[in-house]
Amino acid sequence: MTEAPRAPDAQRLSRRRVLQTAAAGALTLDPALRAAVWAQGSDKPEKEEVRIGFIPLTDCASVVMASVLGIDKKYGVKIVPSKEASWAGVRDKLVNGELDFAHVLYGLVYGVHLGIGGPKKDMAVLMTLNNNGQAITLSKKLADKGAVDGASLAKLMATDKREYTFAQTFPTGTHAMWLYYWLASHGINPMKDAKAIVVPPPQMVANMRVGNMDGFCVGEPWNQRAIMDGIGITAVTTQDIWKDHPEKVLGTTADFVSKYPNTARAVTAAILEAGKWIDAGLTNKNKMAETIAEKSYVNTSVDAINQRILGRYTNGLGRNWDDANHMKFYNDGAANFPYLSDGMWFLTQHKRWGLLKEHPDYLKVATAINRVDVYKQAAAATKTPLPASPMRSSKLIDGTVWDGKEPAKYADAFKVRA
């Protein structure tokens, strides 16, 4: 029997002890032994340089900053951020292996896994990148007619009858679901009373400028940009639809996690630490805004980014407010855990709007995609607190409560549906 170490110091462990323990399974080790095993290289990332796709949006920030600040090197990997033009492009490059990971829409990953919204491939969500911080913008032309929120929009659409067009960013994605949920909460059926189109985030403002849509749901900074350019107003923020809602995730394929488990853990840890850095204070948030505003990332002015990440909102009609539920990248770890109930919620909405024809096994699908095991390893490496449960409870804008229980019943209970 091997003698136990005298103190939790990796240096006191013999090389033989370390290798024996590694063979037994490093992930079940106590922290002292695990540190020793990692030091010997047995848990070294299998792939040391990874390409991570991102769309020019404020919430790509933790991926970008993990690379810019060199946090990735601390975990033995080099992150190469890859700017992409559309979510469909991100999907295709993830599926064919051109990208190793991506800053990606939660519902896109679930759609690919189930074969809706594109090719079918087993996928993985490693962490949630952020909560909150998206919005629904209505055109200035609608606002001039009195449509400045959900109730007044519904009233205008009932009296001034024509085809109303609203844009989202991907059929199974978060923005489509926020847009549809908000419209439906005001009695507007997005499938019957309006036309929904898909527009890539960076092209939203230009398309509204030329009159291609009446409103859109997108991530920042494009809602703020529409206000700054005088062509749109903020009708609602997504945190008002669902406080602390899940938004982008770190996505990859199930094959990648299976082939490169240590790389998956290391990249998750690096991005988790970058989110922690962003949320640490005003100076860091401003530094982040200056960085991602650059042409190689979001390609906009710093002032389009730095106000809303601090919770300083204006709606473009003279109302200003401080929003405590602004975009969060870490929030003491609460923003990042891949809750099974979050993934299941997107499935309920896919069923509600006819994207899924039958009820899936909600919990089974979420458990397969959301790699809580990998996240827990990364959380341990970054000293990130874990929640008590992989399920959470939230009340949405229409008063309904979602807690992950009875998902089929929940999905079928909505009066406004496809």
Side-chain angles (χ1 to χ4, degrees):
M1 183 174 174
T2 310
E3 182 184 352
R6 294 185 297 278
D9 184 343
Q11 299 303 317
R12 295 189 182 182
L13 295 169
S14 70
R15 177 173 173 79
R16 183 181 174 195
R17 172 80 190 279
V18 168
L19 295 176
Q20 283 175 338
T21 315
L27 298 183
T28 61
L29 303 181
D30 65 59
L33 287 172
R34 185 185 299 140
V37 173
W38 285 4
Q40 294 295 338
S42 63
D43 225 358
K44 185 172 179 287
E46 306 88 352
K47 187 170 186 177
E48 295 178 21
E49 182 171 304
V50 295
R51 288 177 63 81
I52 304 185
F54 72 93
I55 291 287
L57 290 160
T58 301
D59 51 29
C60 74
S62 55
V63 170
V64 170
M65 297 312 292
S67 171
V68 170
L69 297 171
I71 296 171
D72 51 356
K73 296 182 181 66
K74 176 178 173 181
Y75 294 95
V77 290
K78 180 183 179 183
I79 290 173
V80 180
S82 177
K83 188 174 181 176
E84 304 299 331
S86 70
W87 291 121
V90 169
R91 173 201 62 200
D92 294 344
K93 289 183 180 181
L94 268 179
V95 168
N96 69 23
E98 286 181 63
L99 293 172
D100 299 311
F101 303 86
H103 149 259
V104 66
L105 299 163
Y106 214 132
L108 184 153
V109 176
Y110 271 65
V112 172
H113 191 91
L114 292 173
I116 56 174
K120 187 178 190 303
K121 189 171 181 68
D122 288 349
M123 300 296 288
V125 165
L126 301 180
M127 65 180 285
T128 307
L129 294 175
N130 66 294
N131 287 169
N132 307 328
Q134 324 294 295
I136 294 174
T137 292
L138 295 179
S139 72
K140 196 70 165 58
K141 291 177 183 177
L142 279 192
D144 290 343
K145 291 184 177 182
V148 297
D149 56 19
S152 53
L153 173 64
K155 184 178 179 181
L156 179 67
M157 289 177 68
T159 56
D160 184 7
K161 292 189 178 294
R162 61 173 176 83
E163 184 176 70
Y164 287 80
T165 301
F166 297 96
Q168 35 87 355
T169 64
F170 191 80
T172 63
T174 54
H175 302 114
M177 298 307 114
W178 310 142
L179 176 65
Y180 300 167
Y181 203 99
W182 179 72
L183 289 171
S185 72
H186 293 285
I188 302 166
N189 189 318
M191 302 296 146
K192 298 171 184 174
D193 303 333
K195 179 183 177 183
I197 61 172
V198 174
V199 175
Q203 296 175 27
M204 284 292 190
V205 174
N207 273 274
M208 179 170 275
R209 185 178 288 112
V210 298
N212 285 348
M213 81 273 278
D214 296 289
F216 60 70
C217 184
V218 74
E220 297 301 343
W222 306 119
N223 302 287
Q224 177 71 4
R225 185 81 255 170
I227 291 172
M228 293 169 69
D229 291 358
I231 62 167
I233 61 106
T234 293
V236 67
T237 66
T238 51
Q239 53 265 33
D240 283 337
I241 297 171
W242 175 357
K243 178 187 170 185
D244 293 336
H245 68 78
E247 185 46 47
K248 306 303 185 301
V249 295
L250 178 63
T252 185
T253 63
D255 287 344
F256 188 95
V257 181
S258 178
K259 190 174 181 181
Y260 307 114
N262 297 341
T263 303
R265 182 207 71 243
V267 170
T268 305
I271 295 172
L272 199 50
E273 187 169 321
K276 186 177 186 178
W277 179 89
I278 293 168
D279 275 9
L282 179 64
T283 301
N284 290 4
K285 287 179 180 177
N286 282 328
K287 168 69 175 170
M288 175 271 277
E290 291 168 9
T291 302
I292 69 167
E294 294 172 6
K295 189 174 182 180
S296 53
Y297 301 117
V298 179
N299 190 25
T300 192
S301 57
V302 176
D303 58 351
I305 296 173
N306 65 9
Q307 294 304 297
R308 289 195 169 187
I309 61 165
L310 300 174
R312 296 170 187 160
Y313 277 76
T314 179
N315 70 346
L317 295 166
R319 179 181 169 235
N320 302 290
W321 72 99
D322 289 328
D323 193 333
N325 303 313
H326 55 81
M327 189 179 291
K328 307 283 177 67
F329 290 92
Y330 185 71
N331 196 20
D332 295 325
N336 307 115
F337 187 83
Y339 288 96
L340 299 181
S341 53
D342 287 358
M344 291 163 67
W345 184 86
F346 287 102
L347 294 177
T348 69
Q349 300 307 298
H350 294 164
K351 179 65 174 66
R352 176 186 184 182
W353 301 119
L355 296 164
L356 285 171
K357 303 306 177 189
E358 305 292 337
H359 287 291
D361 186 331
Y362 291 91
L363 183 58
K364 183 178 179 181
V365 172
T367 302
I369 298 175
N370 289 25
R371 294 300 300 269
V372 174
D373 55 334
V374 176
Y375 180 82
K376 285 182 175 179
Q377 296 166 28
T382 55
K383 297 181 173 61
T384 297
L386 293 170
S389 169
M391 300 288 201
R392 61 174 178 150
S393 179
S394 305
K395 181 184 277 191
L396 277 72
I397 191 171
D398 57 359
T400 61
V401 173
W402 168 245
D403 57 12
K405 297 173 184 173
E406 299 185 285
K409 183 179 176 182
Y410 174 85
D412 287 343
F414 291 101
K415 290 179 182 177
V416 180
R417 51 191 299 169

